[in-house]
Amino acid sequence: QAFLVDGIHEAMTSTLSGISALRVKSRTSTASYRGSELKLTEIAHELGVSRVVTGSVLRDGETVRVNVQLVDAKTDEYIWTESYERDLRDLLALQSEVARAIAREVSVELTPGEAARLRTARQVDPDVYETYLKGMFFVKQLNRESIMQGMRYLQEAIAIDPREPLAYAGLALGYNTIGHGVSSHDAFPKAIAAAEKALEIDELSGEAWAALAEAQLYYEWDWQTADATFQRAMQLSPSLDHTYAHYAYLLMLLGRSEEAIEISEKARDLSPVDPLWAGFTSWIYLLEERWDDAIQTAEECLLFETRLDLCRYSLG
């Protein structure tokens, strides 16, 4: 059931990051600690956070039990803990309920729009949602065989329910990933079609906006439209670190280097242990002839990944 755990983890990260008063690290960054022997206080220090949400998932047929704890990162003491048992079809509502509880426990105010969004989570078809989660589990492993396996699951989810926006947004992400490879000239148009279909069903899908922006940047070369689309994606899904990195690249193309550095640093802040974003940021500093910043960022990159060419290039 790793796909179910990953799916709930990602959805919780996305839901929490939709609360503007909270600063939430990306799933990519936090998932790297799964199975780690580091103490929670050490993980929190590396990520630069004051509180950590931990939990476990147990599935029994169509029922899911989720245990959630909110921990003070400095004292390693529980601030709040709760258990939830729900039908699979109510998973989205469960994630919203947990997000509201965490916001309450850390004493942050929800905007009227955030409160309304968290109250109106829809039900999902268990078969469709499970197939979707399997698809995303494989797509995000980022090798061609896994991506293609994930795309088959996502197509299967759409075959079961042609009105499932999550599956279309997942397909768009998969096609974009393929589009960055070789012999994939039709991948980006397919990504655009899938993203637009997702937005036709759910206009508030940050993932679909992010996928659309990426295709507009790398395929259509419609930089002005991509600029607005990236901003919409970041507004709806503030924890998507890769969205910030792609947007930073667009800003460099537009000659807005200071903004590019700010946005690239935001990607690093969301995923501070991901060497790719540190390497990318060092490259931007290099282009701007900010030598000391480039060297420092490249050295930080190499702390996590000594083989990344982007890091070594900046230092060279």
Side-chain angles (χ1 to χ4, degrees):
Q1 298 292 305
F3 68 90
L4 181 62
V5 176
D6 269 13
I8 291 177
H9 183 184
E10 175 135 14
M12 278 304 311
T13 300
S14 178
T15 304
L16 284 170
S17 71
I19 299 174
S20 56
L22 295 178
R23 187 172 64 91
V24 183
K25 299 299 180 179
S26 72
R27 186 203 70 88
T28 307
S29 191
T30 55
S32 65
Y33 290 100
R34 187 170 296 159
S36 171
E37 295 182 0
L38 290 175
K39 295 180 180 178
L40 199 61
T41 50
E42 295 172 321
I43 294 173
H45 177 72
E46 289 189 359
L47 290 174
V49 297
S50 59
R51 297 175 180 86
V52 178
V53 178
T54 67
S56 62
V57 178
L58 177 65
R59 179 178 179 179
D60 182 11
E62 296 300 300
T63 300
V64 176
R65 183 179 180 85
V66 180
N67 300 309
V68 188
Q69 299 87 35
L70 181 64
V71 184
D72 187 306
K74 291 183 179 179
T75 63
D76 201 17
E77 295 178 348
Y78 289 131
I79 299 173
W80 165 81
T81 181
E82 188 62 81
S83 294
Y84 301 86
E85 190 169 299
R86 299 288 188 276
D87 189 276
L88 268 174
R89 69 181 64 251
D90 293 319
L91 268 182
L92 298 185
L94 167 61
Q95 291 149 12
S96 294
E97 186 176 348
V98 173
R100 290 197 305 270
I102 291 173
R104 182 179 63 249
E105 293 300 324
V106 298
S107 302
V108 300
E109 289 277 341
L110 299 176
T111 68
E114 291 165 355
R117 188 163 61 247
L118 291 175
R119 284 196 304 266
T120 56
R122 63 186 175 91
Q123 286 192 324
V124 293
D125 181 308
D127 291 336
V128 175
Y129 195 59
E130 182 172 338
T131 306
Y132 157 75
L133 291 179
K134 288 179 180 178
M136 297 309 296
F137 177 79
F138 284 104
V139 164
K140 293 188 175 181
Q141 291 184 28
L142 298 182
N143 64 75
R144 187 170 182 83
E145 183 178 342
S146 294
I147 290 171
M148 299 313 296
Q149 176 66 44
M151 299 290 270
R152 287 191 287 271
Y153 276 120
L154 292 169
Q155 293 282 13
E156 182 182 337
I158 290 171
I160 301 171
D161 182 3
R163 297 288 298 172
E164 178 47 64
L166 292 171
Y168 287 108
L171 273 181
L173 171 65
Y175 282 128
N176 275 340
T177 305
I178 295 170
H180 289 293
V182 296
S183 302
S184 52
H185 62 279
D186 63 339
F188 281 124
K190 290 180 178 178
I192 293 171
E196 289 178 342
K197 184 64 176 179
L199 293 171
E200 175 188 313
I201 302 167
D202 179 9
E203 196 273 338
L204 298 180
S205 171
E207 292 79 2
W209 282 108
L212 181 59
E214 191 175 335
Q216 289 170 341
L217 166 59
Y218 295 106
Y219 176 72
E220 295 185 330
W221 290 78
D222 185 352
W223 296 349
Q224 298 302 324
T225 301
D227 189 346
T229 308
F230 271 120
Q231 292 190 51
R232 180 63 168 154
M234 293 183 295
Q235 177 191 28
L236 292 170
S237 295
S239 66
L240 297 178
D241 52 346
H242 60 87
T243 304
Y244 289 87
H246 290 303
Y247 185 44
Y249 178 65
L250 170 62
L251 291 171
M252 287 297 294
L253 294 176
L254 293 172
R256 294 154 57 184
S257 56
E258 287 301 318
E259 293 176 74
I261 290 171
E262 180 183 346
I263 293 296
S264 187
E265 289 287 5
K266 178 65 175 178
R268 289 187 66 205
D269 181 60
L270 287 168
S271 286
V273 297
D274 191 327
L276 184 58
W277 305 147
F280 178 68
T281 306
S282 69
W283 172 73
I284 296 179
Y285 282 131
L286 190 65
L287 293 178
E288 290 300 299
E289 299 184 358
R290 291 174 56 171
W291 314 121
D292 291 341
D293 290 327
I295 291 171
Q296 179 181 339
T297 311
E299 288 175 341
E300 291 170 359
C301 171
L302 289 171
L303 289 175
F304 300 105
E305 177 54 80
T306 59
R307 298 165 298 174
L308 193 63
D309 289 340
L310 202 54
C311 308
R312 298 202 302 268
Y313 173 76
S314 295
L315 284 175

